[in-house]
Amino acid sequence: MNQPPRSGRHPPPPPEAEAPTSKTEILDAPLHTLGFEIDELSAQRVSGHLLITAKCCQPFRVLHGGVSALIAEALASMGAHIASGFNRVAGIQLTINHLKSAVLGDFIVAEAMPVNVGKSIQVSLLVCSSPKIT
């Protein structure tokens, strides 16, 4: 196999990526991929919204539990990171109860609030709801 001679030069840099267009795109690529948008971001509250599309659903057209878990983990982690003074934090447990289903086309709002902010462990509550527009 012939290889081109090495010139000692580095390859050209890749083309510049487009600048992020939303808070969510900057802070959490997986959430952004699903269409989630962050509305509020503080140590006391992290909230956002999502229109349920086919890429968020199980084959039965209901919101996938993994998407619920992703939203919970992401919002609680962002709030914990801010509350810790921007130190690295990691979750130790994630518990989810689905009391009502969200279906394809529903609009959901998610809100994470700290219950306990300690030095080494933080506990957050996440409420995800589907406000009915009348």
Side-chain angles (χ1 to χ4, degrees):
M1 230 195 277
N2 290 336
Q3 297 207 0
R6 299 186 119 198
S7 65
R9 294 178 31 201
H10 296 288
E16 289 194 31
E18 292 183 28
T21 58
S22 71
K23 281 189 267 189
T24 310
E25 186 176 5
I26 294 166
L27 297 171
D28 198 292
L31 280 183
H32 174 72
T33 300
L34 293 173
F36 190 90
E37 287 296 327
I38 295 171
D39 296 324
E40 184 177 334
L41 186 61
S42 72
Q44 294 77 37
R45 183 173 185 258
V46 179
S47 67
H49 63 272
L50 173 70
L51 177 64
I52 307 300
T53 63
K55 66 174 135 178
C56 303
C57 289
Q58 298 176 350
F60 310 110
R61 301 177 122 187
V62 292
L63 180 63
H64 193 289
V67 173
S68 301
L70 174 65
I71 293 169
E73 178 72 23
L75 271 56
S77 292
M78 286 180 213
H81 181 66
I82 296 168
S84 73
F86 298 96
N87 292 310
R88 183 180 181 272
V89 295
I92 59 169
Q93 182 176 337
L94 181 64
T95 304
I96 296 177
N97 295 295
H98 294 99
L99 304 177
K100 198 172 185 182
S101 63
V103 298
L104 184 65
D106 280 354
F107 179 83
I108 62 168
V109 175
E111 178 178 43
M113 298 146 296
V115 174
N116 181 57
V117 178
K119 289 183 180 180
S120 61
I121 294 180
Q122 298 186 25
V123 177
S124 295
L125 171 68
L126 180 101
V127 175
C128 196
S129 59
S130 181
K132 300 296 178 194
I133 300 172
T134 57

